[in-house]
């Protein structure tokens, strides 16, 4: 009788364990599906001057968004992203000089967050832009220097998530050509790095976790000594190509 009771308890425990595992997998799958529908990700080639028009979807992967029925194709593995970059090697060298690639991640549910990766910007540094529309802040991750810069969100140049998604869809379908006018913004690092992460919001704080975070302030480019800067970051976020020049970024290297 004692052995039978133990055996029954074992079966009950096993059933509870199985139900827990199945329930956990179901919840995870639902969460993953929700996240997939919440975010849209994809690559796009941005023309860097007016002679190179926005690419259409008829000329191969390297010239447009990687798309599925929802416009964007999720890039789940870094190797897939690298494969896209490698495909650029098959493009004419002159064309490569007049384009740069961006990877977009857009929140279409809450519509308060965009992330734009620019791995190879001509004459500038590889960077990652995080636009938080809740707190009106833009974060820039310097990939090589391993630090973050934060400045006010420029809504005149950065479209909100839904508008950005619609614009990319029109560009992909050939209905819209990128405005390739280059707008330059000159910024200055405010030292020391901040310690209160509430100043930069949850999205930027998450992306800049374990990295020093510096606030940026705008300076008049006319009064800045003309010199060659090695801290220029570029992006296209809906209106114009914006180049952000951080004039004293080298001060944080010491």
């Amino acid at each position: 009788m004692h052995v039978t009771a133990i055996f029954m308890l074992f079966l009950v425990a096993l059933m509870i364990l199985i139900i827990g595992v199945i329930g956990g997998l179901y919840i995870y799958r639902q969460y993953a599906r929700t996240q997939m529908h919440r975010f849209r990700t994809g690559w796009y080639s941005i023309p860097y001057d007016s002679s190179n028009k926005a690419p259409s979807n008829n000329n191969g992967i390297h010239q447009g968004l990687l798309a599925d029925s929802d416009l964007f194709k999720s890039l789940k593995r870094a190797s897939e992203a690298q494969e896209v970059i490698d495909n650029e090697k098959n493009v004419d060298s002159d064309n490569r000089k007049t384009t740069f690639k961006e990877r977009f991640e857009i929140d279409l549910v809450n519509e308060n967050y965009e992330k734009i990766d620019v791995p190879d910007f001509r004459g500038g540094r590889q960077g990652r832009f995080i636009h938080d529309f809740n707190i009106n802040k833009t974060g820039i991750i310097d990939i090589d220097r391993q630090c973050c810069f934060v400045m006010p969100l420029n809504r005149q140049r950065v479209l909100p998530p839904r508008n950005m998604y619609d614009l990319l869809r029109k560009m992909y379908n050939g209905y819209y050509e990128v405005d390739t006018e280059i707008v330059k913004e000159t910024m200055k690092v405010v030292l020391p790095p901040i310690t209160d992460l509430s100043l930069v919001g949850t999205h930027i704080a998450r992306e800049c976790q374990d990295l020093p975070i510096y606030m940026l302030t705008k300076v008049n480019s006319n009064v800045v000594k003309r010199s060659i800067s090695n801290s220029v970051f570029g992006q296209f976020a809906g209106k114009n190509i914006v180049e952000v020049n951080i004039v004293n970024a080298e001060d944080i290297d010491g």
Side-chain angles (χ1 to χ4, degrees):
M1 188 69 179
H2 181 67
V3 175
T4 303
I6 294 176
F7 181 71
M8 293 300 296
L9 288 175
F10 174 77
L11 287 180
V12 171
L14 183 60
M15 290 180 62
I16 293 174
L17 177 62
I18 293 174
I19 292 173
V21 171
I22 294 176
L25 289 174
Y26 175 79
I27 293 173
Y28 174 78
R29 290 184 63 181
Q30 291 298 110
Y31 173 79
R33 183 175 301 176
T34 300
Q35 291 298 100
M36 184 179 300
H37 287 289
R38 176 181 175 184
F39 294 104
R40 293 294 186 270
T41 62
W43 289 88
Y44 204 89
S45 294
I46 306 298
Y48 199 72
D49 58 44
S50 58
S51 64
N52 192 22
K53 301 301 182 181
S56 68
N57 61 334
N58 298 321
N59 297 321
I61 288 179
H62 63 270
Q63 291 185 329
L65 278 168
L66 292 179
D68 58 12
S69 58
D70 288 324
L71 174 64
F72 289 121
K73 177 179 180 180
S74 295
L75 301 180
K76 299 180 180 178
R77 299 186 300 274
S79 60
E80 292 176 331
Q82 186 61 48
E83 181 180 352
V84 176
I85 297 175
D86 291 341
N87 284 334
E88 286 293 292
K89 297 178 181 180
N90 297 324
V91 187
D92 181 78
S93 59
D94 291 336
N95 183 59
R96 290 202 305 269
K97 293 178 181 178
T98 55
T99 64
F100 64 97
K101 295 191 73 67
E102 291 186 335
R103 182 182 186 270
F104 295 89
E105 181 177 289
I106 301 176
D107 183 354
L108 292 181
V109 174
N110 298 322
E111 298 191 47
N112 57 20
Y113 163 81
E114 293 172 359
K115 181 167 68 176
I116 302 176
D117 282 278
V118 188
D120 184 17
F121 184 73
R122 188 182 69 182
R125 299 173 71 88
Q126 60 173 334
R128 177 176 303 142
F129 288 76
I130 304 100
H131 301 296
D132 189 328
F133 291 83
N134 276 337
I135 63 169
N136 289 313
K137 289 286 195 301
T138 289
I140 304 175
I141 300 179
D142 187 330
I143 304 298
D144 296 324
R145 193 177 270 121
Q146 284 296 287
C147 66
C148 289
F149 304 108
V150 180
M151 64 182 189
L153 173 63
N154 187 344
R155 287 179 175 262
Q156 292 183 337
R157 307 294 178 193
V158 181
L159 290 180
R162 176 60 61 178
N163 293 24
M164 190 67 197
Y165 177 80
D166 291 340
L167 173 65
L168 290 173
R169 182 170 55 187
K170 291 177 181 177
M171 290 165 57
Y172 177 74
N173 291 323
Y175 298 142
Y176 185 85
E177 293 181 349
V178 177
D179 182 352
T180 56
E181 179 185 0
I182 298 174
V183 176
K184 298 180 183 292
E185 296 183 359
T186 305
M187 310 297 291
K188 183 178 180 180
V189 176
V190 178
L191 298 173
I194 66 171
T195 56
D196 184 2
L197 297 184
S198 66
L199 297 174
V200 301
T202 56
H203 296 298
I204 296 175
R206 182 181 66 247
E207 293 287 339
C208 295
Q209 186 177 8
D210 300 326
L211 298 178
I213 303 175
Y214 300 88
M215 304 301 292
L216 297 178
T217 182
K218 193 169 185 177
V219 297
N220 189 339
S221 59
N222 294 328
V223 299
V224 176
K225 181 186 296 185
R226 294 183 177 273
S227 61
I228 299 176
S229 173
N230 65 345
S231 296
V232 177
F233 300 87
Q235 69 159 349
F236 171 80
K239 296 182 180 180
N240 307 119
I241 295 172
V242 178
E243 293 184 358
V244 180
N245 180 20
I246 305 176
V247 294
N248 65 332
E250 66 278 0
D251 291 347
I252 70 176
D253 293 334

Coordinates of all heavy atoms in Angstrom, one line a residue, residues 66-145:
L66 N 14.7 43.2 -47.6 CA 14.4 41.7 -47.6 C 12.9 41.6 -47.1 O 12.6 42.0 -46.0 CB 15.3 41.0 -46.6 CG 16.8 40.9 -47.1 CD1 17.6 40.2 -46.0 CD2 16.9 40.3 -48.4
A67 N 12.1 41.1 -47.9 CA 10.6 41.2 -47.6 C 9.9 39.9 -47.5 O 10.3 38.9 -48.2 CB 10.0 42.1 -48.7
D68 N 8.8 39.9 -46.7 CA 7.9 38.8 -46.8 C 6.5 39.4 -47.0 O 6.4 40.6 -47.5 CB 7.9 38.0 -45.5 CG 7.6 38.8 -44.3 OD1 7.2 40.0 -44.4 OD2 7.8 38.3 -43.1
S69 N 5.4 38.7 -46.7 CA 4.1 39.3 -47.0 C 3.8 40.5 -46.2 O 2.9 41.3 -46.5 CB 3.1 38.2 -46.7 OG 3.1 37.8 -45.4
D70 N 4.6 40.7 -45.1 CA 4.4 41.9 -44.2 C 5.4 43.0 -44.5 O 5.6 43.8 -43.7 CB 4.5 41.5 -42.8 CG 3.3 40.7 -42.3 OD1 2.2 41.0 -42.8 OD2 3.5 39.8 -41.5
L71 N 6.1 42.9 -45.7 CA 7.1 43.8 -46.1 C 8.5 43.4 -45.6 O 9.4 43.3 -46.4 CB 6.8 45.2 -45.7 CG 7.9 46.3 -46.0 CD1 8.1 46.4 -47.5 CD2 7.5 47.6 -45.5
F72 N 8.6 43.2 -44.3 CA 10.0 42.9 -43.8 C 10.1 41.4 -43.6 O 9.2 40.7 -43.1 CB 10.2 43.6 -42.4 CG 10.3 45.1 -42.6 CD1 9.4 45.9 -41.9 CD2 11.3 45.6 -43.3 CE1 9.6 47.3 -42.0 CE2 11.5 47.0 -43.4 CZ 10.6 47.8 -42.7
K73 N 11.3 40.9 -43.8 CA 11.6 39.6 -43.4 C 12.5 39.6 -42.2 O 13.5 40.3 -42.1 CB 12.4 38.9 -44.6 CG 12.9 37.5 -44.3 CD 13.7 36.9 -45.4 CE 14.1 35.5 -45.2 NZ 14.9 34.9 -46.3
S74 N 12.1 38.9 -41.2 CA 12.8 38.8 -39.9 C 14.2 38.2 -40.1 O 14.3 37.2 -40.8 CB 12.1 38.0 -38.8 OG 10.9 38.7 -38.5
L75 N 15.2 38.9 -39.6 CA 16.6 38.4 -39.7 C 16.9 37.8 -38.3 O 17.2 38.5 -37.4 CB 17.5 39.5 -40.0 CG 17.2 40.2 -41.3 CD1 18.3 41.3 -41.6 CD2 17.3 39.2 -42.5
K76 N 16.8 36.5 -38.2 CA 16.8 35.8 -36.8 C 18.3 35.5 -36.4 O 18.5 35.3 -35.3 CB 16.0 34.6 -36.8 CG 14.5 34.9 -37.1 CD 13.7 33.6 -37.0 CE 12.2 33.8 -37.3 NZ 11.4 32.6 -37.3
R77 N 19.2 35.4 -37.4 CA 20.5 35.0 -37.1 C 21.5 36.0 -37.6 O 21.3 36.6 -38.7 CB 20.8 33.6 -37.7 CG 19.9 32.5 -37.1 CD 20.4 31.2 -37.6 NE 20.4 31.1 -39.1 CZ 19.3 30.8 -39.8 NH1 18.2 30.5 -39.2 NH2 19.4 30.7 -41.1
A78 N 22.6 36.2 -36.9 CA 23.6 37.2 -37.4 C 24.2 36.8 -38.7 O 24.6 37.6 -39.5 CB 24.7 37.3 -36.3
S79 N 24.2 35.5 -38.9 CA 24.8 35.0 -40.2 C 24.0 35.4 -41.4 O 24.5 35.7 -42.4 CB 24.9 33.5 -40.1 OG 23.6 32.9 -40.0
E80 N 22.7 35.5 -41.2 CA 21.8 35.9 -42.3 C 22.1 37.4 -42.6 O 22.1 37.8 -43.7 CB 20.3 35.7 -41.9 CG 19.9 34.3 -41.8 CD 18.5 34.1 -41.3 OE1 18.0 35.0 -40.6 OE2 17.9 33.2 -41.7
A81 N 22.3 38.2 -41.5 CA 22.6 39.6 -41.7 C 23.9 39.8 -42.4 O 24.1 40.6 -43.3 CB 22.6 40.3 -40.4
Q82 N 24.9 38.9 -42.0 CA 26.2 39.0 -42.7 C 26.1 38.6 -44.1 O 26.8 39.1 -45.0 CB 27.2 38.1 -42.0 CG 28.6 38.2 -42.5 CD 29.1 39.6 -42.3 OE1 29.0 40.2 -41.3 NE2 29.7 40.1 -43.4
E83 N 25.2 37.6 -44.4 CA 25.0 37.2 -45.8 C 24.5 38.3 -46.7 O 24.9 38.5 -47.8 CB 24.1 36.0 -45.9 CG 23.9 35.5 -47.3 CD 22.9 34.3 -47.3 OE1 22.5 33.8 -46.2 OE2 22.5 33.8 -48.4
V84 N 23.7 39.1 -46.1 CA 23.2 40.3 -46.9 C 24.3 41.2 -47.2 O 24.4 41.7 -48.3 CB 22.1 41.0 -46.1 CG1 21.6 42.3 -46.8 CG2 20.9 40.1 -45.8
I85 N 25.1 41.5 -46.2 CA 26.3 42.4 -46.5 C 27.2 41.8 -47.5 O 27.7 42.5 -48.4 CB 27.0 42.7 -45.1 CG1 26.0 43.4 -44.2 CG2 28.2 43.5 -45.4 CD1 26.6 43.6 -42.8
D86 N 27.4 40.5 -47.4 CA 28.3 39.9 -48.3 C 27.8 39.9 -49.8 O 28.6 40.0 -50.7 CB 28.5 38.4 -47.9 CG 29.3 38.2 -46.7 OD1 30.0 39.2 -46.3 OD2 29.3 37.2 -46.0
N87 N 26.5 40.0 -49.9 CA 25.9 40.1 -51.3 C 26.3 41.4 -51.9 O 26.3 41.5 -53.2 CB 24.4 39.9 -51.2 CG 24.0 38.5 -51.0 OD1 24.7 37.6 -51.3 ND2 22.8 38.3 -50.4
E88 N 26.6 42.4 -51.1 CA 27.0 43.7 -51.7 C 28.3 43.6 -52.5 O 28.5 44.4 -53.4 CB 27.2 44.7 -50.6 CG 25.9 45.2 -49.9 CD 25.1 46.0 -50.9 OE1 25.6 47.1 -51.2 OE2 24.1 45.5 -51.3
K89 N 29.1 42.5 -52.2 CA 30.3 42.4 -53.0 C 30.1 42.1 -54.5 O 31.0 42.3 -55.3 CB 31.2 41.3 -52.4 CG 31.6 41.6 -50.9 CD 32.4 40.4 -50.3 CE 32.8 40.7 -48.9 NZ 33.5 39.6 -48.3
N90 N 28.9 41.7 -54.8 CA 28.6 41.4 -56.2 C 28.1 42.6 -56.9 O 27.8 42.5 -58.1 CB 27.5 40.3 -56.2 CG 28.0 39.0 -55.6 OD1 29.2 38.6 -55.8 ND2 27.1 38.3 -54.9
V91 N 27.9 43.7 -56.2 CA 27.4 44.9 -56.8 C 28.6 45.7 -57.4 O 29.7 45.7 -56.9 CB 26.6 45.8 -55.8 CG1 26.0 47.0 -56.5 CG2 25.6 44.9 -55.1
D92 N 28.4 46.5 -58.5 CA 29.4 47.3 -59.0 C 30.0 48.2 -58.0 O 29.3 48.8 -57.2 CB 28.8 48.1 -60.2 CG 29.8 49.0 -60.9 OD1 30.6 48.5 -61.7 OD2 29.8 50.2 -60.6
S93 N 31.3 48.4 -58.0 CA 32.0 49.2 -57.0 C 31.6 50.6 -57.0 O 31.5 51.2 -55.9 CB 33.5 49.1 -57.2 OG 33.9 49.6 -58.4
D94 N 31.3 51.2 -58.1 CA 30.8 52.6 -58.2 C 29.5 52.7 -57.5 O 29.2 53.7 -56.8 CB 30.7 53.1 -59.6 CG 32.1 53.2 -60.3 OD1 33.1 53.4 -59.5 OD2 32.1 53.1 -61.5
N95 N 28.6 51.7 -57.6 CA 27.3 51.8 -57.0 C 27.4 51.7 -55.4 O 26.7 52.3 -54.7 CB 26.4 50.7 -57.5 CG 25.0 50.7 -56.9 OD1 24.3 51.7 -57.1 ND2 24.6 49.6 -56.2
R96 N 28.4 50.9 -55.0 CA 28.6 50.7 -53.5 C 29.0 52.0 -52.9 O 28.7 52.3 -51.8 CB 29.6 49.6 -53.3 CG 29.2 48.2 -53.6 CD 30.0 47.2 -52.8 NE 31.4 47.3 -53.0 CZ 32.0 46.7 -54.0 NH1 31.4 45.9 -54.8 NH2 33.3 46.9 -54.1
K97 N 29.8 52.8 -53.7 CA 30.3 54.1 -53.1 C 29.2 55.1 -53.0 O 29.3 56.1 -52.3 CB 31.4 54.7 -54.0 CG 32.6 53.8 -54.1 CD 33.7 54.4 -55.0 CE 34.9 53.6 -55.1 NZ 35.9 54.1 -56.0
T98 N 28.0 54.9 -53.6 CA 27.0 55.9 -53.6 C 25.8 55.4 -52.8 O 24.7 55.9 -52.9 CB 26.5 56.3 -55.0 OG1 26.2 55.1 -55.7 CG2 27.6 57.0 -55.7
T99 N 25.9 54.3 -52.0 CA 24.9 53.8 -51.2 C 25.4 53.4 -49.8 O 26.6 53.1 -49.7 CB 24.1 52.5 -51.8 OG1 25.1 51.5 -51.9 CG2 23.6 52.9 -53.2
F100 N 24.5 53.3 -48.9 CA 24.9 52.6 -47.6 C 23.7 51.9 -47.1 O 22.5 52.2 -47.5 CB 25.4 53.7 -46.5 CG 24.3 54.6 -46.1 CD1 23.5 54.4 -45.0 CD2 24.1 55.8 -46.8 CE1 22.6 55.3 -44.6 CE2 23.1 56.7 -46.4 CZ 22.4 56.5 -45.3
K101 N 23.9 50.8 -46.3 CA 22.8 50.0 -45.9 C 22.4 50.3 -44.5 O 23.2 50.7 -43.6 CB 23.2 48.5 -46.0 CG 23.5 48.0 -47.4 CD 23.7 46.5 -47.4 CE 22.3 45.8 -47.3 NZ 21.4 46.1 -48.5
E102 N 21.1 50.1 -44.2 CA 20.5 50.3 -42.9 C 19.7 49.1 -42.6 O 19.0 48.6 -43.4 CB 19.7 51.6 -42.8 CG 20.5 52.9 -42.9 CD 19.6 54.1 -42.7 OE1 18.4 54.0 -42.9 OE2 20.2 55.1 -42.3
R103 N 19.7 48.7 -41.3 CA 18.8 47.7 -40.8 C 17.8 48.4 -39.9 O 18.2 49.0 -38.9 CB 19.5 46.6 -40.1 CG 18.6 45.5 -39.6 CD 19.3 44.4 -38.8 NE 18.5 43.3 -38.4 CZ 17.8 43.2 -37.3 NH1 17.9 44.2 -36.4 NH2 17.1 42.2 -37.0
F104 N 16.5 48.2 -40.2 CA 15.5 48.9 -39.4 C 14.8 47.9 -38.5 O 14.6 46.7 -38.8 CB 14.4 49.4 -40.3 CG 14.8 50.6 -41.2 CD1 15.4 50.3 -42.5 CD2 14.7 51.9 -40.8 CE1 15.8 51.3 -43.3 CE2 15.2 52.9 -41.6 CZ 15.7 52.6 -42.8
E105 N 14.5 48.3 -37.3 CA 13.6 47.6 -36.4 C 12.6 48.6 -35.9 O 12.9 49.5 -35.2 CB 14.4 47.0 -35.2 CG 13.5 46.2 -34.2 CD 14.3 45.5 -33.1 OE1 15.0 44.6 -33.4 OE2 14.2 46.0 -32.0
I106 N 11.3 48.3 -36.2 CA 10.2 49.3 -36.0 C 9.1 48.7 -35.1 O 8.6 47.6 -35.5 CB 9.7 49.8 -37.3 CG1 10.8 50.5 -38.1 CG2 8.5 50.8 -37.1 CD1 10.3 50.9 -39.5
D107 N 8.7 49.4 -34.1 CA 7.7 48.9 -33.2 C 6.3 49.4 -33.7 O 6.0 50.6 -33.7 CB 7.9 49.4 -31.8 CG 6.8 48.9 -30.8 OD1 5.9 48.2 -31.2 OD2 7.0 49.1 -29.6
L108 N 5.5 48.5 -34.3 CA 4.2 48.9 -34.9 C 3.1 48.8 -34.0 O 1.9 49.1 -34.3 CB 4.0 48.1 -36.2 CG 4.9 48.4 -37.3 CD1 4.5 47.6 -38.6 CD2 4.9 49.9 -37.7
V109 N 3.3 48.3 -32.7 CA 2.2 48.1 -31.8 C 2.1 49.3 -30.9 O 1.1 50.0 -30.8 CB 2.4 46.8 -31.0 CG1 1.3 46.7 -29.9 CG2 2.3 45.6 -31.9
N110 N 3.2 49.6 -30.1 CA 3.2 50.7 -29.3 C 3.6 52.0 -30.0 O 3.3 53.1 -29.5 CB 4.2 50.5 -28.1 CG 3.8 49.3 -27.3 OD1 2.6 49.1 -27.0 ND2 4.7 48.6 -26.8
E111 N 4.2 51.9 -31.2 CA 4.6 53.0 -32.0 C 5.4 54.1 -31.3 O 5.2 55.3 -31.4 CB 3.4 53.6 -32.7 CG 2.6 52.7 -33.6 CD 1.5 53.4 -34.4 OE1 1.8 54.4 -35.0 OE2 0.4 52.9 -34.4
N112 N 6.4 53.6 -30.5 CA 7.2 54.6 -29.7 C 8.7 54.3 -29.8 O 9.5 54.9 -29.1 CB 6.8 54.6 -28.2 CG 6.9 53.2 -27.6 OD1 7.6 52.3 -28.1 ND2 6.2 53.0 -26.5
Y113 N 9.1 53.4 -30.8 CA 10.5 53.0 -30.8 C 10.9 52.6 -32.2 O 10.2 51.9 -32.9 CB 10.6 51.8 -29.8 CG 11.9 50.9 -30.0 CD1 13.1 51.3 -29.4 CD2 11.8 49.7 -30.7 CE1 14.2 50.5 -29.6 CE2 12.9 48.9 -30.8 CZ 14.1 49.4 -30.3 OH 15.3 48.6 -30.4
E114 N 12.1 53.0 -32.5 CA 12.8 52.6 -33.8 C 14.2 52.4 -33.5 O 14.8 53.1 -32.7 CB 12.6 53.7 -34.9 CG 11.3 54.0 -35.4 CD 11.2 55.2 -36.3 OE1 12.3 55.8 -36.5 OE2 10.1 55.5 -36.8
K115 N 14.8 51.4 -34.1 CA 16.2 51.2 -34.1 C 16.8 51.0 -35.5 O 16.2 50.3 -36.3 CB 16.5 49.9 -33.3 CG 18.0 49.6 -33.1 CD 18.3 48.6 -32.1 CE 17.9 47.2 -32.5 NZ 18.2 46.2 -31.5
I116 N 17.8 51.8 -35.8 CA 18.4 51.8 -37.1 C 19.9 51.5 -37.0 O 20.7 52.3 -36.4 CB 18.2 53.1 -37.8 CG1 16.7 53.4 -37.9 CG2 18.8 53.1 -39.2 CD1 16.4 54.8 -38.5
D117 N 20.3 50.4 -37.5 CA 21.7 50.0 -37.6 C 22.4 50.5 -38.9 O 21.8 50.2 -40.0 CB 21.9 48.5 -37.4 CG 21.8 48.0 -36.0 OD1 22.8 48.2 -35.3 OD2 20.7 47.6 -35.6
V118 N 23.5 51.1 -38.8 CA 24.2 51.6 -40.0 C 25.6 51.0 -39.9 O 26.5 51.6 -39.3 CB 24.3 53.1 -40.1 CG1 24.9 53.5 -41.4 CG2 22.9 53.7 -39.9
P119 N 25.9 49.8 -40.5 CA 27.2 49.1 -40.3 C 28.3 49.7 -41.1 O 29.5 49.5 -40.7 CB 26.9 47.7 -40.7 CG 25.7 47.8 -41.7 CD 24.9 49.0 -41.2
D120 N 28.0 50.4 -42.1 CA 29.1 50.9 -43.0 C 28.7 52.2 -43.6 O 28.0 52.3 -44.7 CB 29.5 49.9 -44.0 CG 30.7 50.4 -44.9 OD1 31.4 51.3 -44.4 OD2 30.9 49.8 -46.0
F121 N 29.0 53.4 -43.0 CA 28.6 54.7 -43.5 C 29.8 55.4 -44.1 O 30.9 55.5 -43.4 CB 28.0 55.5 -42.3 CG 27.5 56.9 -42.8 CD1 26.4 56.9 -43.5 CD2 28.2 58.0 -42.5 CE1 25.9 58.2 -43.9 CE2 27.8 59.2 -42.9 CZ 26.6 59.3 -43.6
R122 N 29.8 55.7 -45.3 CA 30.9 56.3 -46.0 C 31.4 57.6 -45.3 O 30.7 58.5 -45.1 CB 30.5 56.7 -47.5 CG 31.7 57.1 -48.3 CD 31.2 57.5 -49.7 NE 30.4 58.7 -49.7 CZ 29.9 59.2 -50.8 NH1 30.0 58.6 -51.9 NH2 29.2 60.4 -50.7
G123 N 32.7 57.6 -45.0 CA 33.3 58.7 -44.3 C 32.9 58.8 -42.8 O 33.3 59.8 -42.2
G124 N 32.2 57.8 -42.3 CA 31.8 57.9 -40.9 C 32.1 56.6 -40.1 O 32.8 55.7 -40.6
R125 N 31.4 56.5 -39.0 CA 31.6 55.4 -38.1 C 30.4 54.5 -38.2 O 29.3 55.0 -38.4 CB 31.9 55.8 -36.7 CG 33.1 56.7 -36.5 CD 33.2 57.2 -35.1 NE 33.5 56.2 -34.1 CZ 34.8 55.9 -33.8 NH1 35.8 56.4 -34.4 NH2 35.0 54.9 -32.9
Q126 N 30.6 53.2 -37.9 CA 29.4 52.3 -37.8 C 28.7 52.6 -36.5 O 29.3 52.8 -35.4 CB 29.8 50.9 -37.9 CG 30.8 50.4 -36.8 CD 31.0 48.9 -36.8 OE1 30.2 48.2 -37.3 NE2 32.2 48.5 -36.4
G127 N 27.4 52.8 -36.6 CA 26.6 53.1 -35.4 C 25.2 52.5 -35.4 O 24.8 52.0 -36.3
R128 N 24.6 52.7 -34.2 CA 23.2 52.2 -34.0 C 22.4 53.4 -33.4 O 22.8 53.9 -32.4 CB 23.2 51.0 -33.1 CG 21.8 50.5 -32.8 CD 21.9 49.2 -32.0 NE 22.7 48.2 -32.7 CZ 23.5 47.4 -32.1 NH1 23.7 47.4 -30.8 NH2 24.2 46.5 -32.8
F129 N 21.3 53.7 -34.1 CA 20.5 54.8 -33.6 C 19.2 54.2 -33.0 O 18.6 53.3 -33.5 CB 20.0 55.7 -34.8 CG 21.1 56.6 -35.3 CD1 22.1 56.1 -36.1 CD2 21.1 58.0 -35.0 CE1 23.1 56.9 -36.7 CE2 22.1 58.8 -35.5 CZ 23.1 58.3 -36.3
I130 N 18.9 54.7 -31.8 CA 17.7 54.3 -31.1 C 16.8 55.6 -30.9 O 17.2 56.5 -30.2 CB 17.9 53.7 -29.7 CG1 18.9 52.5 -29.9 CG2 16.7 53.2 -29.0 CD1 20.3 52.8 -29.5
H131 N 15.6 55.6 -31.5 CA 14.7 56.7 -31.4 C 13.6 56.4 -30.4 O 12.8 55.5 -30.7 CB 14.2 57.1 -32.7 CG 15.2 57.5 -33.7 ND1 16.1 58.5 -33.6 CD2 15.6 56.9 -34.9 CE1 16.9 58.6 -34.6 NE2 16.7 57.6 -35.4
D132 N 13.5 57.1 -29.3 CA 12.4 56.9 -28.3 C 11.5 58.0 -28.4 O 11.8 59.1 -28.0 CB 13.1 56.7 -26.9 CG 12.0 56.3 -25.8 OD1 10.8 56.6 -26.0 OD2 12.4 55.6 -24.9
F133 N 10.3 57.7 -28.9 CA 9.3 58.8 -29.1 C 8.5 59.1 -27.8 O 7.7 60.1 -27.8 CB 8.3 58.4 -30.2 CG 9.0 58.4 -31.6 CD1 9.7 57.3 -32.0 CD2 8.9 59.5 -32.4 CE1 10.3 57.3 -33.3 CE2 9.5 59.5 -33.7 CZ 10.2 58.4 -34.1
N134 N 8.7 58.3 -26.8 CA 8.0 58.5 -25.5 C 8.7 59.7 -24.8 O 8.0 60.6 -24.2 CB 8.1 57.3 -24.6 CG 6.9 56.4 -24.9 OD1 5.9 56.7 -25.4 ND2 7.1 55.1 -24.5
I135 N 10.0 59.7 -24.8 CA 10.7 60.7 -24.1 C 11.4 61.7 -25.0 O 12.2 62.6 -24.6 CB 11.8 60.1 -23.1 CG1 12.8 59.3 -23.9 CG2 11.1 59.2 -22.1 CD1 14.0 58.9 -23.1
N136 N 11.2 61.5 -26.4 CA 11.8 62.4 -27.4 C 13.3 62.5 -27.2 O 13.9 63.6 -27.2 CB 11.2 63.8 -27.2 CG 9.8 63.9 -27.7 OD1 9.4 63.4 -28.8 ND2 8.9 64.5 -26.9
K137 N 13.9 61.3 -27.2 CA 15.4 61.2 -27.2 C 15.9 60.3 -28.3 O 15.2 59.3 -28.6 CB 15.9 60.7 -25.8 CG 15.7 61.7 -24.6 CD 16.7 62.8 -24.7 CE 16.8 63.5 -23.4 NZ 15.5 64.1 -23.0
T138 N 17.1 60.6 -28.8 CA 17.8 59.7 -29.7 C 19.1 59.2 -29.1 O 19.9 60.1 -28.6 CB 18.1 60.4 -31.0 OG1 16.8 60.6 -31.7 CG2 19.0 59.6 -31.9
G139 N 19.3 57.9 -29.1 CA 20.6 57.4 -28.6 C 21.4 56.9 -29.8 O 20.9 56.4 -30.8
I140 N 22.7 57.2 -29.7 CA 23.6 56.7 -30.8 C 24.7 55.8 -30.1 O 25.4 56.3 -29.2 CB 24.4 57.9 -31.5 CG1 23.3 58.8 -32.1 CG2 25.3 57.3 -32.6 CD1 24.0 60.1 -32.7
I141 N 24.8 54.6 -30.5 CA 25.8 53.7 -30.0 C 27.0 53.7 -30.9 O 26.9 53.4 -32.1 CB 25.2 52.2 -29.8 CG1 24.0 52.2 -28.9 CG2 26.3 51.3 -29.3 CD1 23.4 50.8 -28.7
D142 N 28.1 54.1 -30.4 CA 29.4 54.0 -31.1 C 29.9 52.6 -31.0 O 30.4 52.2 -29.9 CB 30.4 55.1 -30.5 CG 31.6 55.2 -31.4 OD1 32.0 54.2 -32.0 OD2 32.2 56.3 -31.4
I143 N 29.8 51.8 -32.0 CA 30.1 50.4 -32.0 C 31.6 50.2 -31.7 O 32.0 49.3 -30.9 CB 29.7 49.7 -33.3 CG1 28.3 49.9 -33.6 CG2 30.1 48.2 -33.2 CD1 27.3 49.3 -32.6
D144 N 32.5 51.0 -32.3 CA 33.9 50.8 -32.1 C 34.4 51.3 -30.8 O 35.2 50.7 -30.1 CB 34.7 51.5 -33.3 CG 34.4 50.9 -34.6 OD1 34.2 49.6 -34.7 OD2 34.3 51.6 -35.6
R145 N 33.9 52.4 -30.4 CA 34.3 53.1 -29.1 C 33.6 52.5 -27.9 O 34.0 52.6 -26.8 CB 34.1 54.6 -29.2 CG 34.7 55.4 -28.1 CD 34.5 56.9 -28.3 NE 35.5 57.5 -29.1 CZ 35.3 58.1 -30.3 NH1 34.1 58.2 -30.7 NH2 36.3 58.6 -31.0

